[in-house]
Amino acid sequence: MFIKFFYLLRDRGLNISLDEWLCLVEALDKGLAMNSLLEFYYLCRNVLIKNEADYDKFDLAFAEYFQGVETVEEIPDELWQWLHTEERERDILDRPDWAKEYDFDKLMEMFRERLAEQTEKHDGGNYWIGTGGTSAMGHGGYNPSGIRVGGYSRHRTAVQVAGDRNFRDFRQDQSLDTRQFQMAFRKLRQFSTRVDMAKTELDVEGTIDATCNNAGMLKLVYEKPRKNTVKLLLLMDSDGSMSPYTNLCNQLFQAVHQSTHLKDLKIYYFHNCIYDYLYTSPRCQHGEWVETDWVFNNLDSEYKVILVGDAAMSPYELIAKGGNNDWSLYNEEPGILWLQKFPKRYKKCIWLNPIKEQRWEHAYGSRTIQMVRQVFPMFELTLDGLDKGIQRLLVR
């Protein structure tokens, strides 16, 4: 029963074991879903999903299987503004003639027709998309079979809840904000060492353990302070095809600068590929640079190197002499050779790519992306991808 649902969940990236599925089947046999699709939803989520980061994937897969919906349709901003008003309380005692039930396909057809016709906000009534009333679409009213747009569910009878994905912010594959960057970079503190001096820093985890072992009576535990030993070289692609990711790269820049556990931090920029020079500002202007060889000669091999870029460019920029877009800076060595010098000089290097990993083989520049992946371990610039990249840097 529901075996296709099992395979759909697996296909959508949810790691569900056969034992967990059999546990769900046993729960169904015991009647824990109470013959309710809503209760079945909660039962599935509680039994099958082990991490809140996967809740949003589960919601999308559940809607796709039981309602034939793959994505939530875009709702115009103006319509959202009309609908985001205070809820009205309505007591419905009996179902009148207007409470006709519709199947999902019919509801979506009606929804598109109303959306094309409607030109103003509407409250009450039984036809337009609005608040209150008995229309099959809107919110704040009542209809036993309808689409809720905005607002909050009270009767739990809507066939499709438009735009209601409560757990999208829990996903591990979403783009990062500054704080998430900072939290990920804190893992580099594992490279720091203890200073041989008096124990003056509070050991929070040790204090908790000692207090528990002391029958709940507070027992403070101290440890020696750490000395920052992490040296980081951050190289960022700037301008061109990276323009759509400017805000994301700015957040990364701010997070790295605000990190307090780095012994040394060097940040340089390049455009598409690295050649003879690395720029000292994201403008990548003439004269605002240092020689790449100078970096190799002055930054020792203990630096951890993180390169950030989409790796998407014309092949000649990567494999040809003179491939540099700046014709006045003719490169005698192809860009790919310059890139290969980094893992030879530095023990730990990773490449973070803002393009979704599933598009690396099909996006513009897919050929050069694959070539760069042969040089550097490449990770997607999401929370999950950054975690994997940091773990790669932590391997001793």
Side-chain angles (χ1 to χ4, degrees):
M1 186 176 184
F2 296 134
I3 192 65
K4 291 183 179 179
F5 182 44
F6 170 73
Y7 285 117
L8 176 65
L9 294 172
R10 294 286 296 269
D11 186 59
R12 295 299 179 266
L14 293 165
N15 185 20
I16 298 171
S17 69
L18 188 58
D19 286 341
E20 290 165 340
W21 186 258
L22 292 177
C23 180
L24 174 64
V25 173
E26 183 179 356
L28 290 173
D29 288 340
K30 294 181 180 297
L32 298 184
M34 297 182 289
N35 296 321
S36 165
L37 184 61
L38 181 62
E39 295 300 328
F40 176 69
Y41 162 82
Y42 287 118
L43 179 64
C44 286
R45 199 177 73 183
N46 289 334
V47 173
L48 303 178
I49 308 305
K50 300 174 284 293
N51 190 323
E52 66 273 8
D54 289 330
Y55 280 1
D56 190 56
K57 292 180 182 178
F58 173 77
D59 285 350
L60 291 175
F62 191 93
E64 180 180 346
Y65 183 81
F66 288 99
Q67 299 179 346
V69 179
E70 296 186 7
T71 59
V72 177
E73 293 202 17
E74 293 293 327
I75 305 299
D77 291 339
E78 184 179 12
L79 182 58
W80 280 115
Q81 294 174 4
W82 293 349
L83 296 169
H84 287 173
T85 56
E86 184 178 354
E87 295 267 4
R88 293 166 172 78
E89 294 298 328
R90 300 179 61 88
D91 295 324
I92 306 298
L93 301 178
D94 299 308
R95 179 179 296 187
D97 294 337
W98 47 258
K100 181 180 179 181
E101 295 192 17
Y102 301 96
D103 61 28
F104 179 75
D105 291 336
K106 180 62 176 177
L107 277 171
M108 293 307 297
E109 179 184 352
M110 294 168 56
F111 181 76
R112 296 188 186 96
E113 290 176 353
R114 302 288 197 282
L115 199 59
E117 298 173 7
Q118 190 165 342
T119 59
E120 60 185 7
K121 178 179 178 180
H122 191 77
D123 296 312
N126 60 9
Y127 184 81
W128 296 112
I129 304 171
T131 60
T134 58
S135 172
M137 52 210 74
H139 79 77
Y142 179 82
N143 191 294
S145 176
I147 299 176
R148 174 166 59 84
V149 185
Y152 301 91
S153 174
R154 298 178 311 185
H155 306 292
R156 297 270 184 194
T157 56
V159 173
Q160 168 69 4
V161 179
D164 190 12
R165 290 169 58 193
N166 295 320
F167 299 98
R168 69 176 69 197
D169 293 334
F170 289 78
R171 294 179 68 117
Q172 289 285 94
D173 55 356
Q174 295 294 342
S175 296
L176 303 167
D177 59 25
T178 302
R179 176 165 175 77
Q180 288 172 318
F181 274 127
Q182 291 175 322
M183 296 299 292
F185 278 115
R186 285 183 182 180
K187 296 180 180 179
L188 289 174
R189 288 185 298 182
Q190 296 183 37
F191 283 109
S192 60
T193 57
R194 296 291 180 188
V195 180
D196 188 15
M197 58 181 295
K199 296 181 177 181
T200 58
E201 290 189 355
L202 180 64
D203 182 352
V204 176
E205 293 185 358
T207 296
I208 294 173
D209 290 339
T211 301
C212 293
N213 294 331
N214 196 33
M217 298 294 293
L218 180 63
K219 185 176 181 179
L220 298 177
V221 177
Y222 292 90
E223 60 184 0
K224 296 179 180 180
R226 285 186 176 273
K227 179 181 179 180
N228 294 331
T229 60
V230 179
K231 294 184 285 187
L232 180 63
L233 172 59
L234 180 63
L235 306 174
M236 303 180 69
D237 191 356
S238 179
D239 207 5
S241 59
M242 285 294 292
S243 295
Y245 312 108
T246 299
N247 291 335
L248 186 60
C249 291
N250 285 341
Q251 291 167 350
L252 173 62
F253 179 86
Q254 294 170 18
V256 173
H257 260 286
Q258 294 170 12
S259 297
T260 59
H261 54 274
L262 299 176
K263 180 179 180 179
D264 190 32
L265 171 65
K266 301 295 184 184
I267 301 178
Y268 298 107
Y269 303 87
F270 62 94
H271 179 55
N272 286 353
C273 188
I274 295 175
Y275 304 104
D276 302 69
Y277 298 96
L278 287 167
Y279 296 90
T280 56
S281 77
R283 295 176 297 180
C284 296
Q285 291 188 347
H286 271 246
E288 296 181 354
W289 58 43
V290 297
E291 292 185 359
T292 307
D293 281 333
W294 181 92
V295 172
F296 291 143
N297 294 330
N298 288 273
L299 304 184
D300 62 59
S301 61
E302 296 304 314
Y303 276 81
K304 317 300 175 188
V305 181
I306 299 178
L307 298 98
V308 182
D310 58 13
M313 65 195 88
S314 297
Y316 80 91
E317 295 181 71
L318 194 58
I319 61 178
K321 291 184 178 181
N324 193 334
N325 272 334
D326 191 333
W327 292 353
S328 65
L329 298 176
Y330 184 88
N331 55 293
E332 291 289 346
E333 292 184 274
I336 190 68
L337 295 183
W338 280 105
L339 294 181
Q340 290 171 351
K341 292 180 181 182
F342 280 88
K344 291 178 181 178
R345 171 59 173 163
Y346 302 104
K347 299 176 182 178
K348 303 296 180 183
C349 301
I350 63 171
W351 187 292
L352 300 177
N353 195 325
I355 298 177
K356 296 294 183 181
E357 183 174 359
Q358 63 187 19
R359 297 179 52 222
W360 287 354
E361 295 184 359
H362 310 287
Y364 163 77
S366 59
R367 180 181 173 187
T368 56
I369 291 174
Q370 301 309 315
M371 295 176 67
V372 172
R373 291 181 69 187
Q374 298 299 315
V375 181
F376 301 100
M378 185 177 289
F379 303 91
E380 186 179 339
L381 191 51
T382 61
L383 183 57
D384 195 33
L386 182 56
D387 278 343
K388 293 177 181 177
I390 295 297
Q391 290 299 323
R392 185 63 176 259
L393 293 178
L394 291 175
V395 175
R396 297 185 184 275

